Amino acid sequence: VPKKLVVTVSGCADDAVAGLVACNPGLRMLQGHRVVLRDDLTAIRGRVAVLSGGGSGHEPAHAGYVGKGMLTGVVAGAVFASPSVGSILAAIRAVAQAGAAGVLLIVKNYTGDRLNFGMALERARAEGTDVRMVVVGDDCAFTVPGKAGRRGICGTVLMHKVAGALAEAGASLDEVEKKVMAAAKVTGTLGLSLSPCSIPGSKPSFQLAEDEMELGLGIHGEAGVRRMKVLPADKAVETMLKHMTDPSNASRLSLTPGSSVVLVVNNLGGLSCLELGIVAGAAVRCLENRGVRIARALVGSFMTALEMAGVSLTLMLVDEELVGLIDAKTTAMAWPNVLAGPATTRREEVPAPVEGPRKPQEEAGTGPGTARVQRVLERVCSTLLGMQDKLNELDRGAGDGDCGHTHARAAQAIREWMRSRPPPTVPAQLLSGLADVVLEQMGGSSGVLYGLFLTAAGRSLQGRSDITAWADAMDAGIEAMQKYGGAAPGDRTMLDALFGAAQALRSLRSPGADPIQVLAAAVQSAEAAAEATRHMQAAAGRASYVRSSRLEQPDPGAVAVAAVLGAMLQ
């Protein structure tokens, strides 16, 4: 039985509704019933009350749609079970006694819901209340009409919105009923899933192989009309829209070029938001290619089936009046707060910013200075490429095993850069150029850290040619890395090797210091610091999530830094 985060299996519907009401000051429970009402019932005096409901497990439906401009109240059953006649009748009485000018019940087309809401309606009418019921059947799955008719699924949420907006505007019960029935006739929905769902305490409702998806399934874990191999998102969306609009499908939605629709891309509960965005983009593109105008697009979780990893697409054919009702304000917490406007994949992009004028580079030449820079950089690149496997191996114990690949990518990018133009010989410009290369090509956090170091060090070297400038540049680079990277010496990162070298480079500030000897000492210090990381506990970077007992090797970033400094000295 799949794991669920519940208190008790028997109390999960009550607990879910109680949690929603606790967090929303606009909602109230009806005493003794699993009924949620607007807290400002006095505001419905003289207006039509709109009630809905059904089984739990479809959250945020139905209680998430209670609010001004949407539902007056909802009646919740147990998970995937219709609510009782007594609770539905209690909800009708509560709004009638608050002075409602008639009550409209919006019911999804399932036998249990029709029976219970229908029985409550008959009893309320016997008490003198003007109650009507609209049964919504928006499912486009079944190509041959069955006796039970089309199931009510996510399109029902649009009916809640249309009815609530009309009632809020003061429309009569006759008008609200008529317009909701008309909207329901031009609404179609189809579901697609990669997984089943399971009621708390029970096993999954059906099984799907790893490489299968199911088309046309309901919102209670019922199997669909077709099982097929998993398709890419765009092909899956095309398949769904084709099935929904197929002329031979008895439950089709007639969609012609030039039609305007409201599109709902609904998460059935367990699909990631990333996948939902991909499906939404594919749906808009597919409809545009058919010449259909998407007047509005709503993307999110509207009517779910517990944790089902699936999606449903709802289309409602709209005119200006229906779009206005969809746009009308509501305080219902689950209705998305989006800017009113059409959906399109052809939205104009913001122009890319123009880079400011660069300071004129020194004239690129091929003098002795250039050749020296090229020799040093080539040694650095060869060293990094030669130790690619070693760095990857060191990284496997603590990270994702790509440190060697990342440094090799930087080495290849620097080689390409040197081939395309002679490198600058002015130190500040050289480091700035290298920073651009590693930032664009190296990738990973290493690329950004090297970029930060080189940018700050280059800035520190501007306009300076004295030997002590290099010690200041090293300090400036380390300071930038610490500021944004969050690591400190002793945290078992590349910073340890740099910090070891920086301490040795400070000797450059002493009068009469031999730069070559100081650099040699800096390399030795970096190598010793890199080796010392073997015994440190990681406190920054990905390695900090790994138990220190497993980190028996030196840090790969520190090893790479020491190797780069060593290559410069050769």
Side-chain angles (χ1 to χ4, degrees):
V1 176
K3 291 178 282 192
K4 301 281 180 182
L5 205 56
V6 297
V7 179
T8 62
V9 168
S10 59
C12 60
D14 288 314
D15 293 344
V17 169
L20 189 83
V21 172
C23 295
N24 191 327
L27 303 181
R28 292 279 185 279
M29 294 294 297
L30 182 60
Q31 191 176 11
H33 297 277
R34 203 186 291 125
V35 170
V36 178
L37 297 165
R38 281 172 58 172
D39 86 320
D40 58 344
L41 279 185
T42 50
I44 67 158
R45 180 171 291 283
R47 284 193 169 89
V48 171
V50 185
L51 298 177
S52 188
S56 294
H58 305 303
E59 290 73 19
H62 304 80
Y65 302 116
V66 174
K68 183 179 177 181
M70 217 160 169
L71 297 178
T72 316
V74 299
V75 195
V79 175
F80 292 172
S82 183
S84 69
V85 174
S87 287
I88 299 166
L89 186 58
I92 295 170
R93 285 171 177 159
V95 295
Q97 287 167 20
V103 182
L104 181 70
L105 307 179
I106 297 179
V107 179
K108 297 188 298 303
N109 186 28
Y110 295 101
T111 306
D113 286 1
R114 283 201 321 270
L115 286 171
N116 287 309
F117 276 89
M119 184 68 238
L121 173 144
E122 293 299 334
R123 287 181 62 183
R125 278 187 180 166
E127 294 173 3
T129 308
D130 191 358
V131 191
R132 317 280 176 86
M133 183 162 89
V134 173
V135 178
V136 181
D138 56 313
D139 187 13
C140 294
F142 296 99
T143 54
V144 179
K147 190 173 181 185
R150 295 163 66 183
R151 297 174 294 198
I153 44 181
C154 188
T156 313
V157 175
L158 294 178
M159 301 311 110
H160 294 162
K161 185 67 179 65
V162 168
L166 285 164
E168 185 59 35
S172 68
L173 183 56
D174 283 338
E175 189 186 349
V176 177
E177 181 189 28
K178 186 175 130 210
K179 286 185 173 169
V180 171
M181 285 172 73
K185 281 194 174 77
V186 291
T187 300
T189 300
L190 188 67
L192 175 84
S193 189
L194 307 175
S195 82
C197 62
S198 58
I199 292 173
S202 303
K203 289 183 175 171
S205 47
F206 61 90
Q207 294 298 325
L208 271 175
E210 282 296 306
D211 61 345
E212 286 181 328
M213 60 193 344
E214 183 112 8
L215 185 74
L217 68 186
I219 52 170
H220 304 96
E222 318 97 308
V225 292
R226 194 162 124 216
R227 197 163 281 198
M228 53 197 181
K229 295 293 181 193
V230 172
L231 296 170
D234 54 347
K235 296 283 187 292
V237 166
E238 274 177 40
T239 304
M240 291 172 82
L241 290 172
K242 190 176 175 190
H243 185 95
M244 289 172 77
T245 58
D246 187 337
S248 66
N249 180 354
S251 57
R252 73 185 176 278
L253 182 73
S254 297
L255 199 63
T256 52
S259 304
S260 273
V261 297
V262 165
L263 164 71
V264 182
V265 182
N266 172 54
N267 189 341
L268 284 170
L271 204 69
S272 70
C273 295
L274 178 117
E275 292 161 282
L276 196 68
I278 293 167
V279 170
V284 171
R285 202 159 39 249
C286 200
L287 289 167
E288 279 181 333
N289 291 342
R290 286 167 164 241
V292 173
R293 180 178 178 271
I294 304 115
R296 301 288 181 269
L298 310 172
V299 183
S301 298
F302 297 95
M303 187 165 296
T304 62
L306 294 167
E307 82 283 29
M308 189 179 278
V311 64
S312 67
L313 299 179
T314 299
L315 297 172
M316 177 168 75
L317 293 166
V318 291
D319 54 17
E320 269 184 48
E321 185 190 13
L322 269 181
V323 171
L325 295 170
I326 293 296
D327 287 346
K329 289 273 177 272
T330 177
T331 60
M333 62 177 292
W335 186 258
N337 181 22
V338 288
L339 199 63
T344 174
T345 57
R346 298 159 192 154
R347 227 177 278 292
E348 197 178 332
E349 294 183 338
V350 176
V354 180
E355 278 197 47
R358 290 218 162 192
K359 287 183 181 166
Q361 294 268 354
E362 55 151 14
E363 281 302 310
T366 48
T370 305
R372 196 181 313 119
V373 168
Q374 281 173 321
R375 270 199 312 278
V376 171
L377 287 178
E378 183 49 49
R379 278 202 304 272
V380 168
C381 293
S382 302
T383 301
L384 289 175
L385 289 165
M387 62 195 304
Q388 182 173 350
D389 293 340
K390 178 188 172 183
L391 291 175
N392 281 339
E393 188 54 43
L394 288 174
D395 195 29
R396 270 185 204 107
D400 44 9
D402 68 346
C403 184
H405 293 318
T406 308
H407 282 80
R409 219 171 18 246
Q412 282 154 348
I414 291 167
R415 276 183 169 170
E416 286 296 318
W417 179 63
M418 287 195 293
R419 279 195 207 109
S420 67
R421 44 156 295 174
T425 54
V426 174
Q429 292 174 0
L430 174 63
L431 296 195
S432 175
L434 287 169
D436 288 345
V437 173
V438 295
L439 282 169
E440 282 174 32
Q441 306 290 335
M442 188 173 184
S445 50
S446 301
V448 185
L449 287 165
Y450 278 114
L452 278 166
F453 177 85
L454 291 165
T455 300
R459 201 180 302 121
S460 172
L461 286 169
Q462 269 173 1
R464 292 182 65 179
S465 55
D466 53 304
I467 202 72
T468 60
W470 289 97
D472 295 342
M474 190 71 152
D475 289 346
I478 287 171
E479 189 187 336
M481 285 173 84
Q482 282 187 269
K483 181 179 176 184
Y484 295 104
D491 284 350
R492 195 184 189 279
T493 67
M494 63 197 290
L495 195 67
D496 288 303
L498 282 168
F499 195 73
Q503 284 181 304
L505 280 183
R506 283 171 192 158
S507 302
L508 289 174
R509 297 186 180 115
S510 306
D514 181 341
I516 299 299
Q517 281 182 352
V518 172
L519 185 55
V523 171
Q524 281 182 334
S525 185
E527 287 169 348
E531 179 56 30
T533 60
R534 183 191 295 272
H535 310 293
M536 291 176 187
Q537 184 162 343
R542 194 169 282 158
S544 61
Y545 306 117
V546 180
R547 284 201 312 274
S548 56
S549 58
R550 289 176 52 198
L551 302 172
E552 294 145 5
Q553 305 283 0
D555 178 71
V559 170
V561 165
V564 166
L565 291 169
M568 290 165 64
L569 187 65
Q570 286 170 17

